[in-house]
Amino acid sequence: MSVLIFEKSQPGRRGITFSNSSDQYKTRIDKRFLREEPPALPEVSELDVIRHYTSLSQKNFSIDTNFYPLGSCTMKYNPRLNEKVASLEGFANLHPLMAQLQYGGQLTQGALRLIHEIEQYLCEICGMKAFTMQPMAGAHGELTGLLLIRAYHEDKGNQKTKILIPDAAHGTNPASAAIAGYDCITIPTGENGCMDMEAYEAALGPDVAGVMLTCPNTVGLFNPNIDKVTELAHKHDALVYYDGANMNAIMGRARPGDLGFDVIHINLHKTFSTPHGGGGPGGGPVGVSEKLIPYLPISQVEKRKDGTFTLNYDCPKSIGYLSAFYGNFMVNLRAYTFMLRLGGNGMKRASDMAVLNANYVRAKLADKYNLMYPRICMHEVVFDASKQAENGVHALDIAKALLDKGLHAPTMYFPLVIKEALMIEPTESESKQTIDEFIEAMRELADIAETDPDWFKETPRTTRVSRVDEVAAAKNMDLAY
Amino acid sequence: MPFVPHTPQDVEEMLEAVNLQSVDDLFEDIPRQFRFENLDLPDGKSEMEVFEYIKRLSNQNATQLTSFLGAGFYDHYIPAAIDPIVTRGEYLTAYTPYQPEVSQGTLQSIYEYQSMICRLTGMEVSNASLYDGGTALYEAIMMSMRVTKRSKILMCSGVNPIYRKMIETYTTNLNIELIETPIKHGQLERDVIGEQLDKSIAAVIMQNPTFFGSVDDYSDVCNMAHEVGALAIMSVYPISLSIIKDPGSMGVDIVTGEGQSLGIPLGFGGPYLGFMATRKKLARKMPGRICGTTVDSKGRKSYVLTLQAREQHIRREKAMSNVCTNVGLMALRSVVYMALVGKQGFVEVGQECFNRAEFAKEKLNAIPGVQVKESAPTFNELTVELPVPAKNIMPDMIEKGYAAGWPLDRYYPEMKNYILMAFTEKHTQEQISGMCNALEEVLCRF
């Protein structure tokens, strides 16, 4: 247990100093507007700070230190060039309002060009007609997409109240639909691991505004009937939403736009290698088909005839402002850097190898762990630890035991349709040798689950802390020092 | 090809293991007519080429101007020690700390972040952060509706118009009524709000300092809100909390704000840091991730994400919010900033911002025809009246090397002659005098 930074505080100790600070003007402001005591921030030296946060960092697993097969999260390598370009002063020190001063963006041509170019790249990768870079995370993109669907229907005078969502979907899908003012209808998963077509057709009707799909889905499967799904929706003038969480599987292999999707969000922190940062910031740009372009958020970057760029605020049908300015620009910058490095050929290669890695894991573990859907998977494979659970070893136990081997846990208990789900996504970053080590570890754990199931109860043993009491945390509510 | 380690032999062996002839066979499930051959994009480029290209783009942005732009987003000094910490791979490339055993570093830093936000705002609990200041304020509105089961919101006109635009977008399809409460001479009109407040109001939304820069003590407004069972919500500028009265001691119930000024680069609009803090009794109604303390199976003190039963991955469409992330790395930047600057340094930063603005007031008021709106005290931002439309002076000022501020006519067409100017500890007296001299010269031409 580390001491808190507050506990290292000594009255009068300084980190950063500022020259010649004075309170010469303070008499100009009435005392009743002023704070009585300054905030009790720590009083520590710069070395204290460096040592404290360096030591804390060493208590984390990360991509840089560990294999991280966390399904659905696409923990691929984050190239350092992304960070280098993000430190360029021409971007880092650029005030967002600089684009709105006189001359229509003349002061920020480089930044506006970059936004335009990344939008063009995403349009080509996804087969969409336009993109907005405003949404600041995947769930924010979902909300944007649903607001667009809603604006489209309202503009057409359609009376629609429902969004159809498969039961295997990410929890953010229904949460976003609810905030956009829609009722959510859950569609069950069929025997082939994809959305049940009969139930889907039965649920479709004139009151359905849209369908939200993850493709490949959260079981890691590509629905071979996907074109029929979009076609059926369109018959009812329902729009089809593509949750791009799993885009890493199909770059250069298939495009959501071609498959009939009307609106899509991309998780830049997954497919396009921007760092997860211990929980954000993300980037969730949204792409649309032709018919949704009029509703895109304000502002939009436009290319003028003379090749320069400007911001358009005159969008009468727009859903409005999603973020204060142009989304998480510095995240977009990193993602674009990655796209340029890979190029069209590299993206296809990345998806190919991500899918090969997942299938390799599938093939090598299929005799030890149950596969609910034993067929070719996409970039992730979902096992069901039900065989092990019969001995009292659950998905959670296997996940915790992996931590002791220096391997991050797979995603557990998701999707909800698989009881003891262990969702494994190696990503294209990992070599066969690393994956072989992981396979070896998983096989060993399956064997121990047979011979000594109790051994799992004490795992993890080698981490900084062992299993923590989550119930006590919710009860204590100790949330600040 | 970059970032893919597979050798031809690896691929061969792996294909054999999965019993397939070629990589193409992996994609058999994609309907044939939709299989895509090749993206119409250039091939990949070397690291050196990409860096040179991006650098060229960065050079096409006017960061060499001396800027007095603010409007909620400020150019403060970023201490050198922040980047080496937050670019450590163990922070940068970690996922959300759902596995507490191997995420104690991230978790403890979140706990420290929450503690510091509480100390700044005078609140008791904070979440682990939200996307930005605007979305945080929207989430606070939603929270107040959950707490009070009411749906009318009083929105003071001193709240940043950019946030208000965002909130309009988010609430369009929800059953919420937003009612504007005016400010006059920089201060909230107490008589008007007194009449507007009744038992149908969920919350009063204030901003301190206001968008126009004026500072107020809202203790009486908080009391008025509480008398009718409404919540008091305040959006704040964290640096101002070094010297300006904290919302906690005014009686505010939910505090939100834009944390960009706490060590986060302007970065052309993001990523930034939305913070939210509240009273302990409202903690369970607060959206977003929250970190708390607990013990491990050996009784050791540990950190873990808690109160997750409120969130979308459990509650799905019944969740309090669809927000699935915080902005972990930005929260980390702010916590390292606050630790480095420390108790005394933080006050110095605040004082210097205030001093610069007071110095600028003198200089600006000395220019014929220019007047700083000065009916209320200010912190570091000034609404300045010019004798001509503010837009008209911008080209000449830019020519002289100054982005003098933000003309207010974009959101306030009636304020054509007004410009919003922000001052921070980074501005020298020479820069401020220089800008004022340039302004005087430019105005002579009109």
Side-chain angles (χ1 to χ4, degrees), chain A residues 99-109 112 304 309-311:
Chain A
Q100 298 180 19
L101 297 185
Q102 189 82 330
Y103 291 147
Q106 214 179 56
L107 302 170
T108 59
Q109 282 299 302
L112 296 182
R304 294 197 191 93
F309 297 88
T310 185
L311 285 164

Side-chain angles (χ1 to χ4, degrees), chain B residues 312-371:
Chain B
Q312 37 68 36
H313 62 276
I314 312 262
R315 297 276 291 164
R316 300 178 80 83
E317 70 268 23
K318 294 189 187 68
M320 285 182 188
S321 158
N322 77 326
V323 174
C324 170
T325 188
N326 54 330
V327 282
L329 212 56
M330 300 297 115
L332 180 67
R333 288 193 79 94
S334 78
V335 85
V336 178
Y337 175 85
M338 288 187 272
L340 279 169
V341 169
K343 185 177 177 180
Q344 204 177 326
F346 196 60
V347 172
E348 287 171 6
V349 172
Q351 251 167 22
E352 285 315 295
C353 292
F354 178 75
N355 290 346
R356 302 291 194 276
E358 292 301 313
F359 174 74
K361 265 184 200 171
E362 291 170 7
K363 289 278 170 192
L364 287 162
N365 281 331
I367 305 171
V370 175
Q371 206 196 345

Side-chain angles (χ1 to χ4, degrees), chain A residues 164-176:
Chain A
L164 308 187
I165 301 173
D167 57 0
H170 295 108
T172 48
N173 287 183
S176 300

